[in-house]
Amino acid sequence: MKKSESWKKEMTLNAKKIYLNGIVQGVGFRPFVFKLAEELDIKGWVNNSSKGVTIHAEGESLDVFFQRLLSDAPPLAKILSIRSEEARAESYESFKITQSEAQQEADVLISPDVATCQDCLQDMAEENNRRFEYPFTNCTNCGPRYTIIRDVPYDRAQTTMSTFPMCEACGEEYQNPRDRRFHAQPVACKNCGPKVKLLDSSGQQLSGIGIEQLLQGGILAVKGLGGFHLVCDARNEQAIERLRKRKERGAKPFALMARSIEKARKEVKIENKQEELLLSPAAPIVILERVQNFSSSLPENIAPGIHTLGVMLPYTPLHHLLFKGPYDFLIVTSANLSGRPLIYRNEEALTALQGIADYFLVHDREIYHPCDDSVVQVIGEEPVFLRRARGYVPLPIVLTSSRFKKPLLGVGGDLKNAFCLAHNQRAFLSQYLGDLEGFETMERFQQELESFQRVVNITPSVIAHDKHPNYYSTRFAQEEDYPKLPVQHHHAHLVSVLGEWNISEPTLGIICDGTGFGSDHCIWGFEVLYGNAASCERLGHLEYLPLPGGDAGVKHPLRIAYAYLKTLLAEEDWLKTLPLWKSFSQNERQILDRQLEKKIQVFQTSSAGRLFDAVSGLMGICTEVTYEGQAAIELESEAARFFKQSLSESTDGRAEVISEYPFELRTEEGEYILGVAPLFKSMVLDLTQGISRGKIAYRFHLTMARAIAELAKKFQKEGFLALSGGVFQNKLLTELVLQNLETTNLKVIRSRTLPPGDGGLAFGQVLIANEVL
Amino acid sequence: MERILMAHGSGGRLSHELITSLFQKYLGNSFLNQMNDATILPGQEQLAITTDSFVVSPLFFRGGNIGRLAVCGTVNDLAVSGAAPMFLSLALILEEGLPIAELEQIIQSIAETAKEANIAIVCGDTKVVERGSADKLFINTTGIGYVSRTLVNPQQIQPGDVILVTGTIGDHEIAILSEREGLEFETPVTSDCAPLNGLIDCFFQTGVKCMRDPTRGGVATTLNELAQQGGVCMLLDEEALPILPGVKGACDMLGLDPLYLANEGKALVIVKPEAAETILHKMHSHPLGQGAAQIGVVMEGKPGLVLLKTPLGGKRILGMLEGEHLPRIC
Ligand SMILES: [Fe+3]
Ligand SMILES: [Mg+2]
Ligand SMILES: [Zn+2]
Ligand SMILES: [Zn+2]
């Protein structure tokens, strides 16, 4: 009641001050206000400051004006708060955009980078346009943002465009509130803006942008928005093989850039959600299922052993120009050396990529925040982040029901590191940075930590870090002077999801993860937790199984499989019947036996990831891991392919009914333990009876999904169930879990804007630290 | 509440914390604070003194036994401190029930090793404790030597200096481990346990700045200590590390890192760059220096930081030995 009364009161006033906050700079917000004011005959002014946008409005239709500020705001604007107060009418004669005020405390959000818009593409296509084929065309609706910003407020002088004085024509566009480029900070043209240069490996300048070279099978290092890519013709198997070898990349899949969504459809299945993502301003890499296609132009070595492809669309003018070449797909993979961070400076590219790239397509617009491509997969109708970076950072997660009492830093985990800065209502996650074991990645972490503080205007006073004593992130935190708080890995995973959903009540969660340091000093990874940021209790877990050799063992799924079988089953059940063991030498087996018996470097783990690895190894699907998660990813692929095939082979469009394997839920010391001996026994039996690997892999997924659902139902029949941890990047598993719970009253909540894996960990850490303070 | 953990004796980070928070705190003086393998004592003739206790299990292993170890350990601490080892004390703690024959074998070995190291055993002590109060046999040795050459302390290590090691790394710990746990690797590894004073006499010359024997905690932990004390940064080259195939194989199988494994007959030697080649050459001419190699350099950078360049070209921080190598991969 009260609200509508004050609303009415405001409406009768003929002058108002309006304060807006959120992403309101660099997105065409002031020209929008200007045009709206002109249309509604509002007088006054609008300005930008480090506090946000302020409007002084006088006129008849102030109410409409206010409403339409919200409803008609430009597509890239994100209004987080709007507040208005009465003001004295000053009888302005026009509506003006006034100079930005410099103020002490910045409170304006920076936009992520935005894929080239249709209008700019149009400009680039018109032969008589000033920006015909200009590779740095942008406007207030598109172009670089976060990656070029040194400091706030967002002003050309504070970006890496500061070294390019605008020409007269660009200056006019920039000054004209009716122009699409009004106050577009990176505005530029052929005359005044950045330029590209094609070099060969000796530094000799060549003409063109490398299309010829791509066609001849060359590998191009291309400077993009957030860093360098290595690019080659996706039809050229030899070029891809060369790239794989030179990059020492093992079997890790390469991402593709497709000319258009129509062309992409020839190779991958694209449904609505996926199309939406591909075409979104963030333009991420979307993981899509390959279509069974005998006329496919894409060789198998793009993504060996996997049923999916990572596809993105061109998102900078330069990408669009590269597609002037007669190919529909390019390999576009981050240019970093194994274990090192993304390369983003010309000089570094020219030296570090010698011997990898044949040609270098560089430009002179500096990248300030290196930023990898984001990777998303639609799982259960919702996008799930595998990697969150370009196009999404630095968007905040906004708390609606609580706040961060102090400025906080969560340093995240060690692998797929992203840190988090949080204060008041907002938490900002950094872009994906990589594995901190690499010293150069650790340096990148420190560099970004420093510059990110400026972008989001948070200087932390407390640090939260993982409990793992040997994490590089932990050691970094320990060397800092601030008070610090160790946070249990899976507790952080749980709370990260709760935070995204603004849930503060204790909630049931099942975390299926790789490995994390547990409160009992064992290595956790499949945990039933109940709690919130304030506290957390472990209700159950996968039974402890031995992981021989720790991280070294993770590279050898066969060893994990062997250790699990040896622990779970009697040898006569499996040893002789599995031909797989022939790949172990007698001596290797002997040592493994001793190692397990004497517990030398053997870790007890409830890891879900290692269970998937073991099953992958058991079936000989993946016996040597060359990239993180490979064994589990190939296992999922095997299962997904089987399922798809069984669907297509059945006459009525329904697959044969395939059942789960048995498993065991027992209680030990008040905790539920998921026992997998019956599961392994059945899988071994199937294997020895010649059942296909695909079917076994599929049944294994069914079983895990059922086990997760059953475990949840042991504790509650209704309410929220949080699913988190890297294993929920497994589409098949997650969708099977959702199916299992469809008819129950349990509402599954999952990560929405952050990765469920360690990329989202830091957010959970700051939420927990905030409670403990 | 807090109790001594096994890791407090591992020579890693916890050992260090124990030393600084307890021993140095209460016992610290200008001698102890040298924090070197042996302490240099003042006087007309400068003396170096060091002491060590030996609690290895099993008592006998491929390449040596606890007796040989007890002589070598103390001799080497003196030798890397720039002293000529002269006198050795020998204190034994015996567990009731230890076979005399085993003891005799160990004493014989002590005699042989002392001769090899050219050191005289000049005093001793024996205690016997009840069954269960000790594990078969513990030995303590204290060694005294004349300081025969000036070694520069770690503070003088400079960017540009070169890091040498006198031979393959990790042999001792893998030999002990396979003996103790009954691991039969395809290529059995022999402990490198040996007195180093002869080798050091052979290669020592001007340009040698600092020497350390990388025993517990291995090469990585020892270099961390040196980098900290010297306020310098170090960069090792993984491909240059001399590692026996048997040690490499064992490490791959067990998930161990050879850089953190104990050695009992190796020295890390930090030298001026211009002297490196000659010194390396001299090392190679001695039977105990056959596997000597340049493994890294001292660099400008964050003081105390030790980095390892991997074969793929990236770098990784080598910290001190932590309790155990807990899995990190998520
Ligand atoms: Fe995790
Ligand atoms: Mg000593
Ligand atoms: Zn545009
Ligand atoms: Zn211009």
Side-chain angles (χ1 to χ4, degrees), chain A residues 72-99:
Chain A
D72 295 3
L76 298 180
K78 252 205 172 77
I79 296 168
L80 290 180
S81 74
I82 179 163
R83 178 171 69 82
S84 73
E85 60 189 35
E86 335 174 348
R88 220 177 39 204
E90 308 270 0
S91 308
Y92 285 102
E93 285 180 357
S94 64
F95 194 88
K96 281 213 168 76
I97 297 176
T98 61
Q99 277 303 322

Side-chain angles (χ1 to χ4, degrees), chain A residues 248 414 439 468 515 587 601, chain B residues 184 255 312 315 327-329:
Chain A
E248 307 197 43
D414 255 19
F439 176 66
H468 198 306
T515 52
N587 181 248
Q601 283 281 108
Chain B
E184 284 164 34
L312 293 179
K315 298 190 196 92
R328 211 177 48 93
I329 293 176

Side-chain angles (χ1 to χ4, degrees), chain A residues 466 471 489-490 493 511-516 725-726 756-759 761, chain B residues 330:
Chain A
D466 199 273
Y471 266 11
H489 192 89
H490 303 98
H493 271 308
I511 318 298
C512 287
D513 202 26
T515 52
D758 284 7
L761 207 60
Chain B
C330 193

Side-chain angles (χ1 to χ4, degrees), chain B residues 244-322:
Chain B
L244 290 173
V247 171
K248 210 172 174 54
C251 284
D252 285 345
M253 284 295 294
L254 301 176
L256 296 169
D257 186 343
L259 281 163
Y260 290 91
L261 298 180
N263 308 278
E264 287 295 345
K266 298 291 149 51
L268 286 163
V269 185
I270 302 201
V271 304
K272 285 187 178 161
E274 55 271 24
E277 206 177 314
T278 328
I279 293 172
L280 203 53
H281 194 73
K282 288 182 183 171
M283 285 177 179
H284 287 151
S285 73
H286 191 276
L288 288 178
Q290 295 298 305
Q294 174 178 337
I295 58 168
V297 290
V298 179
M299 298 193 308
E300 305 273 2
K302 190 179 160 199
L305 182 68
V306 180
L307 295 171
L308 178 73
K309 189 167 113 234
T310 66
L312 293 179
K315 298 190 196 92
R316 166 162 84 81
I317 298 175
L318 282 183
M320 284 205 168
L321 177 70
E322 295 287 335

Side-chain angles (χ1 to χ4, degrees), chain B residues 98-285:
Chain B
L98 176 77
I100 301 277
E102 284 188 20
L103 181 60
E104 185 169 0
Q105 214 181 325
I106 288 164
I107 300 299
Q108 274 172 4
S109 180
I110 290 176
E112 280 163 24
T113 316
K115 202 170 159 205
E116 187 182 338
N118 199 16
I119 192 169
I121 292 165
V122 294
C123 62
D125 175 54
T126 307
K127 294 283 185 303
V128 179
V129 296
E130 275 172 41
R131 213 179 277 269
S133 295
D135 186 8
K136 295 190 189 90
L137 168 61
F138 296 159
I139 303 181
N140 172 275
T141 54
T142 295
I144 290 179
Y146 292 124
V147 178
S148 53
R149 40 180 77 105
T150 11
L151 266 191
V152 183
N153 55 24
Q155 279 82 8
Q156 307 286 325
I157 299 174
Q158 285 171 328
D161 288 350
V162 166
I163 305 164
L164 308 177
V165 68
T166 58
T168 53
I169 62 173
D171 308 3
H172 177 69
E173 190 154 344
I174 292 297
I176 293 280
L177 189 71
S178 27
E179 197 81 44
R180 186 174 60 220
E181 311 293 1
L183 299 166
E184 284 164 34
F185 293 108
E186 243 156 278
T187 12
V189 176
T190 306
S191 165
D192 58 358
C193 179
L196 287 172
N197 46 342
L199 170 64
I200 291 172
D201 286 342
C202 167
F203 73 73
F204 195 89
Q205 61 163 65
T206 48
V208 174
K209 288 197 166 180
C210 189
M211 297 189 285
R212 280 281 162 93
D213 56 338
T215 52
R216 287 173 314 174
V219 168
T221 306
T222 304
L223 288 180
N224 262 277
E225 290 165 7
L226 284 180
Q228 260 167 35
Q229 290 173 14
V232 291
C233 173
M234 293 177 178
L235 177 66
L236 302 191
D237 182 354
E238 190 171 343
E239 287 178 303
L241 298 173
I243 303 170
L244 290 173
V247 171
K248 210 172 174 54
C251 284
D252 285 345
M253 284 295 294
L254 301 176
L256 296 169
D257 186 343
L259 281 163
Y260 290 91
L261 298 180
N263 308 278
E264 287 295 345
K266 298 291 149 51
L268 286 163
V269 185
I270 302 201
V271 304
K272 285 187 178 161
E274 55 271 24
E277 206 177 314
T278 328
I279 293 172
L280 203 53
H281 194 73
K282 288 182 183 171
M283 285 177 179
H284 287 151
S285 73

